[in-house]
Amino acid sequence: MPNIVVLVKQVPDTYSERRLAEADHTLDRESADAVLDEINERAVEEALLIKEAQGGEVTVLSVGPERATEAIRKALSMGADRAVHVSDPALHGSCLLQTTRVLAAAIGKVDGVDLVIAGNEATDGRGGAIPAMLAEVLGFPQLTHARKVAIDGTTITVTRETDTGLTHLSATLPAVVSVGEKINEPRYPSFKGIMAAKKKPVETYTVADLGIDAAEVGLAAASTTVLEATPKPPRSAGQRVEDSGDGGGKIAEYLIGQKLI
Amino acid sequence: MSEVLVLVDEIDGEVKKVTFELLTAAREIGEPAAVVVAAPGTAAKVKESLAAYGAAKVYVAESDDVANYLVTPKVDVLANLVGAKSPAAVLIPATAEGKEIAGRLAVRTGSGLLIEAIGVESSGGDVVGVQSIFGGAFTVKAKSTRGTPVVTVRPGGVEAVQAQGAAAEETVEVPAVDAAKATTVTGREPVVGGDRPELTEASIVVSGGRGVGSAEKFEVVEKLADALGAAVGASRAAVDSGYYPAQFQVGQTGKTVSPQLYVALGISGAIQHRAGMQTSKTIVAVNKDAEAPIFEIADFGVVGDLFAVAPRLTDEVAKRKG
């Protein structure tokens, strides 16, 4: 009966324009529509599938501003049992290292965790590193970029899929798993699920509640600092021609002129 | 000049192009030291090409454990080298595995992690990573505030330039694996690479969008790609419609590419797609719709039917190549 923690994150919608705040070069979260990252829904789905087959409990964990409650509600309405939300203004501008430490501390608040499931890569930061970093901090094996997960007793096996191909992995629980695009098709929350979600427990913590000094997180104490951020001048349109039978030839001429062919 | 560690990306003794890009970048900030963490016998095969791109040193960490465990042997070797050699920075390819290695290395060494850099600079004694974020909308310069900067560098971000290096070998140990924390690799099924270059490494990419219309008709995209020696990409709309497999998707939720030449066929150019390709050096677009946003960023655009334009271009290219 695995005890599962799923990480979810609210991200700016990739179809809307994203900006950096002028004051401190952090993501301007107000300027873009926020959605539950698609890949997180797959992570929630995989946790629910494991629970349905083997029992256990699914806890949703999110670190982020107040708005993250929307992502948490979505996960609960899909069927997760409870949620932990770490929300603290001190976290603003935290780097990957600080975020990982906070996640690890919050996971420590959940009793007897067997499995941590996350999406393989968020669409905003695209670090693709948090699940591996979390495994490093927790001292758990990492089974990342999964397209298939199977658990038998305390043994977990995963088919990992990356650009280089498939890799078959095996490790002993507790472990950290990250899921890829092909893992499953996430369910839609049912009306019953949406209603039930309203009654599910959401624990909210500050960083101090997690035993972390607020001065150790956030922009001022981050392990990386942005020196300058310059919006790229927009690309301007170049030549444009109507095809009147020789469009292909015109492209060829252009490419020859540019020494590209 | 201090050393800059470069993790070598290779498959069966064949060095990937991104490694040469990293060695080139490393020369900007110090003396490149290539780190080979691989199966026994690999260093002998790769040494010459590492020397050709300026590796002053080659640290050789060879063991069968490297293939038998996921990610951690490489982290272990790099962490020991960071401790022993105090390098100016560690450069790692921003591949799926590279990002994970870099993340764990940063945690273990308490260092700042600069991700997806398209270049590195030296400024006032600091290593500065240049990043292109939100699909090229912003250029950001950032530095690490503690430890040894760990930088993942995006394939294609730096142009590889040859330079002779001494490639002096030094053997280092692959530490014993802690089985409780490690993940065992029980099998591998490598992608059988066709004749086309890899999408993120290719210097020319030809992509098709919704306008291609069907999976069968994607042949017209592939033919042009093959004539140009290019990789094939697809927009999200084309992938969602089932025209082309997801691993070839270019865009915010797919791959980011920055080739010398990007040819967009029947792609409207939504933000979602532009985010994955607008840092390409030259962009050529063909679309029936004169109002398609792709034309706003194209260096050369043809308003017309891609099924008329692309085959003609394919013929012209073939003719030129003889």
Side-chain angles (χ1 to χ4, degrees), chain B residues 177-235:
Chain B
V177 171
D178 179 348
K181 295 181 183 179
T183 300
T184 309
V185 174
T186 55
R188 283 176 204 275
E189 298 170 45
V191 167
V192 185
D195 294 336
R196 294 192 190 109
E198 236 177 88
L199 192 50
T200 52
E201 294 215 323
S203 46
I204 303 178
V205 174
V206 181
S207 288
R210 200 199 303 272
V212 177
S214 74
E216 295 72 43
K217 291 191 201 151
F218 236 82
E219 204 188 4
V220 76
V221 180
E222 292 180 329
K223 279 190 172 154
L224 176 56
D226 291 343
L228 287 164
V232 175
S235 71

Side-chain angles (χ1 to χ4, degrees), chain B residues 33 37 69 103 105 147 150 164 201 265 319:
Chain B
V37 189
Y69 294 95
L105 182 65
V150 178
Q164 203 52 43
E201 294 215 323
L265 301 175
K319 232 189 282 169

Side-chain angles (χ1 to χ4, degrees), chain B residues 18-234:
Chain B
V18 65
T19 305
F20 303 137
E21 295 168 359
L22 263 57
L23 288 169
T24 305
R27 300 203 297 263
E28 294 292 318
I29 52 172
E31 197 175 58
V35 183
V36 178
V37 189
T42 305
K45 293 183 206 160
V46 299
K47 194 178 150 180
E48 205 173 307
S49 56
L50 298 175
Y53 284 87
K57 264 193 181 166
V58 179
Y59 292 112
V60 181
E62 293 182 334
S63 159
D64 288 325
D65 277 354
V66 177
N68 295 338
Y69 294 95
L70 186 71
V71 172
T72 41
K74 292 179 180 174
V75 180
D76 296 343
V77 169
L78 288 171
N80 281 353
L81 280 171
V82 167
K85 308 289 177 184
S86 308
V90 185
L91 306 188
I92 296 173
T95 57
E97 186 192 47
K99 290 174 189 179
E100 297 185 329
I101 293 167
R104 297 188 72 131
L105 182 65
V107 168
R108 202 174 301 174
T109 59
S111 303
L113 175 62
L114 301 170
I115 59 171
E116 302 251 339
I118 53 166
V120 287
E121 297 172 356
S122 198
S123 165
D126 286 319
V127 170
V128 173
V130 183
Q131 296 155 304
S132 165
I133 65 164
F134 298 154
F138 282 84
T139 302
V140 167
K141 291 187 178 181
K143 65 166 190 164
S144 160
T145 59
R146 69 177 71 119
T148 302
V150 178
V151 188
T152 64
V153 183
R154 189 184 286 172
V158 178
E159 203 172 326
V161 179
Q162 291 206 341
Q164 203 52 43
E169 266 187 63
E170 184 178 330
T171 304
V172 294
E173 189 199 8
V174 179
V177 171
D178 179 348
K181 295 181 183 179
T183 300
T184 309
V185 174
T186 55
R188 283 176 204 275
E189 298 170 45
V191 167
V192 185
D195 294 336
R196 294 192 190 109
E198 236 177 88
L199 192 50
T200 52
E201 294 215 323
S203 46
I204 303 178
V205 174
V206 181
S207 288
R210 200 199 303 272
V212 177
S214 74
E216 295 72 43
K217 291 191 201 151
F218 236 82
E219 204 188 4
V220 76
V221 180
E222 292 180 329
K223 279 190 172 154
L224 176 56
D226 291 343
L228 287 164
V232 175

